[in-house]
Amino acid sequence: MSVILEEPIYTAKDWSAEIVPDATIDDLDEVAIAKARMMFKKVHSRIPTEEVNAWSVQTFLGKCGLIRNGGISLSIAKNTNQLPSYTKTKGLDKERLRQMILQYLSNAGSEGAKRDSIYEYLKDVLPRNKTEEQQIRMLGDLLKSMSKESIIKAEGRTWYIVPQI
């Protein structure tokens, strides 16, 4: 028993508790929310059904712990089995996109790559709820951000990885 009690507490980050930027209630499937509400009523039978039915979607999700500080947590997509379609709609997170850009530029080597070719590489993982123009602008903002951090640089219209010293 003492060995178990002395084990370190698991401290890894809980990705499902992270707030998803730009996510709104409109991105959620109404059927999944109705199913979640039905299951909530079964588990929390001490709360009158009429009361649970009267809650707004935002209130209901908050009581389930799926909304924190007004933002939707990634766990809602996971808990409602919408993670694949959610990820397709919202795209990969910025850190994953940054990693993909760095990999692409690494593969391009000394030839570098133009934004259009980087966009072609990333377009399938960019948010589908944005227009192509918005996706290109998002990519441009990401490239500028990485450039300000001196991770990559642009020479003319070509992007390169900055060699780390």
Side-chain angles (χ1 to χ4, degrees):
M1 186 178 207
S2 65
V3 171
I4 292 171
L5 292 174
E6 291 175 13
E7 287 180 352
I9 296 174
Y10 185 70
T11 59
K13 189 174 188 178
D14 177 10
W15 66 268
S16 67
E18 290 182 27
I19 300 301
V20 179
D22 303 325
T24 67
I25 289 175
D26 295 333
D27 296 320
L28 304 174
D29 182 10
E30 292 176 21
V31 175
I33 293 171
K35 183 176 179 182
R37 196 182 291 259
M38 182 182 72
M39 298 305 292
F40 183 90
K41 289 185 269 189
K42 283 183 181 180
V43 171
H44 301 281
S45 57
R46 68 187 185 338
I47 301 173
T49 299
E50 300 78 30
E51 183 180 339
V52 176
N53 290 341
W55 292 338
S56 68
V57 172
Q58 181 136 1
T59 300
F60 169 68
L61 296 175
K63 300 236 184 225
C64 294
L66 299 173
I67 290 184
R68 291 183 185 86
N69 300 323
I72 295 176
S73 74
L74 193 54
S75 63
I76 195 165
K78 185 178 178 191
N79 290 341
T80 58
N81 297 319
Q82 297 180 71
L83 193 56
S85 62
Y86 181 89
T87 302
K88 285 179 187 173
T89 302
K90 289 298 185 178
L92 295 180
D93 65 33
K94 287 185 180 178
E95 186 55 39
R96 298 269 191 303
L97 292 172
R98 289 167 59 102
Q99 291 170 359
M100 289 180 74
I101 291 168
L102 288 173
Q103 182 62 54
Y104 188 76
L105 292 176
S106 175
N107 292 346
S110 61
E111 292 180 23
K114 296 197 181 307
R115 183 179 71 176
D116 291 346
S117 64
I118 298 170
Y119 173 74
E120 283 300 315
Y121 175 65
L122 294 176
K123 73 180 180 181
D124 292 333
V125 295
L126 292 172
R128 291 196 179 154
N129 63 348
K130 296 189 183 300
T131 65
E132 182 177 353
E133 180 182 327
Q134 290 171 322
Q135 290 176 343
I136 291 170
R137 190 175 311 121
M138 177 184 168
L139 174 60
D141 292 344
L142 195 52
L143 292 170
K144 286 179 204 167
S145 168
M146 292 173 73
S147 178
K148 284 181 183 174
E149 296 171 33
S150 299
I151 299 169
I152 62 174
K153 66 179 178 178
E155 291 178 9
R157 294 178 163 256
T158 306
W159 291 90
Y160 303 90
I161 290 182
V162 173
Q164 299 300 310
I165 302 172

